Amino acid sequence: MICAQNNVAPGRKNVFRGVILIFFIVLVVRFYVLQIVQYGRYVELAESNRIRIVPISAPRGNIYDRNGNILVYNESQYNLNIIPYEITGAGGDSILEKLSTIIKLPISEIKYRMRKNWRGIFFPATICEDIDFNVLTRVEEHKLEFPGVLFTYVPTRAYTDRVRASHVIGYLREIDRNSLIKFKKYGYRWGDLIGWRGVERVYETILRGKDGYDYLQVDAHGKVLGELPERKKILPRPGNDLFLTIDMELQRYCEEVLRDTHGVVILMNADNGEIISLVSKPDYDLSLFSGVVEPEEWNKLTTNPEKPLFNRATQGLYPPGSVFKLITLIAALSEGIVDTNWTVNCHGYYKLGRRYFRCWKWSGHGTVDPVEAVAVSCNVFFYTLVRKVDIDTWYRYARLFGFGEATGIDLPAEEEGLVPNRKFLDEKYGEGGWTEGMKLNLAIGQGDLLVTPVQMVKFAAILATNGKIVQPHLAMMYYDRIKERYVHFVPEVDSITVVPENVWRILRKGMYEVVNKKYGTGYLAKLKDVTLYGKTGTAQNPLGEPHSWFIGFTDTGDEKVAIAVIIEHGGSGGSNAAVVARKVLEHYYRLKAEVVRK
Amino acid sequence: MKRRFLGNKLAYMKSINFVILAIVLLLTLFGFVVLYSISIPLKVPFFYKTVGKQLIWWVISVFVLIMVLFVKKKFLFDNAYFLYAGGLFLLIIPFAFGLKVSETYRWIKLGTMTIQPSEFAKVFYVLGVAKYLSGENVAIDSPKSVFIPLFMAAIPFIVIFNQPDLSTALLFILTLVPMLFWAGVRTYYIFLLVAPVLSVVTAFNFYTFFAWVIVLLVILYLNSQNIILAVSMGIVNFSLGFLTPFIWNNLKPYQQKRILAMFNVWEDPQGVGYQVIQSQTAIGSGGLFGKGFGKGTQTHLKFLPQQHNDFVFSVVGEEYGFIGVIVVLLLYLVLLLLILNAAYKAKDRFSSLVMIGAISFLFLHIFINIGVTAGLLPVTGLSLPFLSYGGSFLLTCYIFIGLVVNLNRRL
């Protein structure tokens, strides 16, 4: 081993000893001062200086409609809390006894709730929510007898009674375990409410405020002595106010029109994607969700066969019916497969092999060109047409117009719908197991096709703007409380360039005739003062009467409004849905005229 | 043959310093009592788990300590540099696949246990430096004898500083001073090593910095045989003093806060000083005899997250009073002095220096941690040997003790 011998000078060892001793003496002196000299002072501090940390809930942001009408705001609720530490010592049981007679809860239940809402021995645990005023005053009067019992003010959601808009706004629920794990870093705690549906969920981070804390000093009897001098109260920061593109008055009217039916109305500005109204019926009363939902109420809602919690506008999947004939026509014309003068002679049926595919008009339409085919929704024209279009081209155009993918609307859990392609059909029916007949069904919007109403309104908007694709959205802007300014949401915009100008013209002409000519299928939707372009659809479904579709748009030069209506089991599209569309649009222009007058 | 073997065993047993082991055992047991006491008023199973986890770590630590007792001195000496390199490797692991806990990389996860490798690195670092300073060819009088150990300390310092863990990083530099001093390095060189720290500290005030510069220049002048060294050290210290304000502005806000809280504990609204106030109140209200086991009514501390760790000593002060504090401090003092004695009597310089390294780490941890709870020092996050909750650190302390007892054998 090549290691030097140890030959430390004794002096250096003594330096070490000295340093160690000096530092230990410093510590001893310090502890002598703290524990012997200043003992009295610290005992007093320890006795009187009990700290309560009381969280102050931050109110969520309000929600307004496009005109500044309030839709959702906050109300106060008082909760009764117990600080576990205060009732664990001697005398704790007598406090609980007295409390249990006032709030009429057995002691075991109080203890159970305390354990359930445990956040720490010094943190108030909620025992009762939304207690009534009598209890509050009785406990406050005898405050000294109830150390460790305190009230917290909690803001709860309150909703306007002028409109329901339940599927737009959505509700809050107590945060669940998975979300808590995911969002813990953002300061969520057990018992916090979190946006669960609607814009309340999508804009959770904008609407949610930041909780504050109050540090209180209390004496040995639990009496609040005041705020802690060393720690300042942290004030809660309220959430940001959100402004929707919804027009409350129109929304209310749409809800009125759709009352007692199952269906959807969506009205959207075709230029910028702002949704002016979105109603899905049946819906539910949001005031059920203002605080914590009682389990019975929740069960009633979830087991209701009418499915009121289900947002048909974004989650409802329906065959599009004749509306989809437009896709078939656009594909054929844009690809130059037929020209705009191409005609078909309709005898009321189309024969494929040994099968007869009927037109809806059994006597036939005679000779029809593309414009008339749209106007009268002639099946035979489109059967004949789609034979010339291969499935891949048809699929490409359907996807181009946004079918088979989510629109990106700011509502949670949007469905994508389904546009079958060659691969899908091969997989479902086996390679070669599907025939040309399948294509004939797809051409008129039946078969495996599934769309959502919000996809349909987006489609109507694309037709209105000759190919501009906007993302439908409900949020217009919010007021940023930190930066103290309004922040506007900018939706994505894209456009379709493969469709030539003359095809748009033909489509518009056809859709004009649908509504404005006596022989058009949507004549019932005709508006008095404004020109409406539309297309009806009658979606066959195995459950009963067909669903009634109407999509359309108006173009007044300065503004283009797109509309989509579906009435479940509403019969033919020309009747029920067209009437609803007319009523809604007439009301829209009536409201607009009123605004202008004012 | 068999008898001789047994005889060897007996001789070996006799050579073990059982007093050191007994003190360590006493302190550890006391730590368990305190951890258990913390867990009483809180009816939360988690706290029972911390005692339980610590117990598992203790069993592991005892097992490792016994293994360390049987390692040959020659093995340690021959492989000291490899071990040092291994220690550096341990430090880098958390960056590669460690846990990110509140923006820091200090831990790695093994099963359900989290391990802090920078703790173990302390042992290997001490072995490395001890080997260098005990080499026969080392000219202890040359400045090189300072710079190479300083380099060995700089690497772990930089890595740990980036975890970021400022206080642990500083420990690596601080432990170097006693080891160099023990090895016989000239006091002047050690002064040059400490000088930059003083330059930084004094730079916050113009007058203190001015006074310090004068002292520095005088000392440099008196030792100006090596003129290049003196001049360059002067320049280094001078520029450090000027740079400090800029470096300060680049510190993380929480680091600034912790350092600032030292100067005015009672007016810190952000809550760092709050822990210290609570700790002081707990200690002060303990009085002479303390409130007794499990009766620490100054329970504000009970919801402070660090009471089982950084502030464990305030529980000692509250529940066992000044007497309890004196007993624990005496146990630590005797332990350190015993090791110092062993270091002095060791036949070779390597053993001696390893023991000094162990003393340095243990002493700094003890003094800084207790100083923090008593409000003498800023909150650093350094644990208290044998008492604090924390497995990696307990194990590290046990390895140090194992090395001390092993190298202390008179064979």
Side-chain angles (χ1 to χ4, degrees), chain A residues 217-237:
Chain A
Q217 202 174 345
V218 295
D219 69 6
H221 306 291
K223 208 171 93 188
V224 176
L225 299 175
E227 295 190 351
L228 210 63
E230 301 93 24
R231 293 204 84 169
K232 290 196 191 81
K233 179 179 188 164
I234 298 170
L235 288 172
R237 181 169 55 74

Side-chain angles (χ1 to χ4, degrees), chain A residues 271 555-560:
Chain A
D271 283 312
D555 186 350
T556 55
D558 58 335
E559 187 194 51
K560 300 182 181 74

